[in-house]
Amino acid sequence: MSQPFTISAPANTDVWKKPPHIDNFNAPHKPHSSGRVSSLLSAKITFSAAYTQPEDHAGFLLRITRPQSPSPQWIKAGIEFYLGEPRLSVACCQTYADFSVADLPVHVSRQDVLQGRRPATLTLTKTRSPRSGGVSLWFHYVDDENKVPLRDVCWFYGEDGDVEVSAMAARPSEGADGEFEVTFSEFDVQWETE
């Protein structure tokens, strides 16, 4: 568990990779810890922010380095101000990035999240399938009433390597006034011990 901290993201910052020429990895982030991919068990992060610019986003950032991969891989998951709403988002990059969004649960006030009055909590968990025995990394949004599944990342544990688990914030809008300030009130990462 860490002490509360803040990350401020200036305009034109992002973690995103899209063909043919976009390869951005300049969003401010604060590492919690790092270790072997195979040893990552779980993590939990809670944060709040006032989202004002399109695509403002904050949450987890996992940066993965593997001997077999020519460039770092990454996963980011959190809340993104997308198409006028705060939405749950996950983006993954092996070679190029993909992106998924989901609505917040119906009982959650979008205005409270958008204006930073309601914090968001996300978790990631190493999960073994009881049917196949396969291992994957599940991301969830968690609150008092729900544990909403966001994404099952099956490739994460496929090859071992190193992973750094960070908190991040980004403001992709070019020329936006001011910085996107995110307060992280909880950040905990669990690793297997040998």
Side-chain angles (χ1 to χ4, degrees):
M1 181 82 128
S2 66
Q3 295 296 315
F5 60 93
T6 300
I7 297 176
S8 297
N12 202 27
T13 54
D14 204 358
V15 174
W16 187 240
K17 190 173 184 181
K18 188 173 185 177
H21 305 298
I22 298 172
D23 188 1
N24 296 330
F25 200 95
N26 63 350
H29 55 282
K30 179 177 177 162
H32 178 285
S33 54
S34 60
R36 298 298 289 169
V37 166
S38 57
S39 297
L40 180 60
L41 288 177
S42 64
K44 182 177 183 180
I45 198 165
T46 302
F47 57 93
S48 58
Y51 298 79
T52 61
Q53 299 295 316
E55 300 177 354
D56 280 354
H57 59 279
F60 281 120
L61 174 63
L62 280 66
R63 187 170 191 200
I64 306 125
T65 307
R66 306 183 204 263
Q68 305 85 345
S69 300
S71 59
Q73 301 169 340
W74 51 260
I75 303 169
K76 61 180 180 175
I79 300 284
E80 180 161 346
F81 187 31
Y82 184 70
L83 298 178
E85 293 279 343
R87 299 180 195 269
L88 302 163
S89 69
V90 182
C92 298
C93 180
Q94 284 184 285
T95 303
Y96 290 104
D98 60 42
F99 171 62
S100 62
V101 292
D103 290 334
L104 289 161
V106 293
H107 70 276
V108 175
S109 165
R110 273 93 174 128
Q111 283 303 309
D112 284 351
V113 173
L114 195 64
Q115 296 172 9
R117 294 189 302 257
R118 181 184 178 115
T121 298
L122 278 85
T123 62
L124 60 85
T125 310
K126 184 177 187 178
T127 306
R128 185 172 301 279
S129 169
R131 190 174 45 130
S132 68
V135 180
S136 61
L137 188 66
W138 261 106
F139 288 85
H140 289 85
Y141 169 81
V142 181
D143 67 24
D144 294 337
E145 299 178 35
N146 290 279
K147 184 175 182 182
V148 179
L150 300 180
R151 187 116 174 216
D152 182 16
V153 182
C154 296
W155 57 264
F156 181 77
Y157 292 104
E159 299 172 22
D160 212 0
D162 296 313
V163 59
E164 179 184 77
V165 183
S166 299
M168 62 88 66
R171 173 161 275 180
S173 297
E174 292 184 30
D177 290 333
E179 294 187 329
F180 176 50
E181 187 170 290
V182 183
T183 300
F184 294 86
S185 55
E186 182 178 6
F187 190 16
D188 183 51
V189 182
Q190 299 295 316
W191 302 88
E192 288 181 353
T193 56
E194 294 186 20

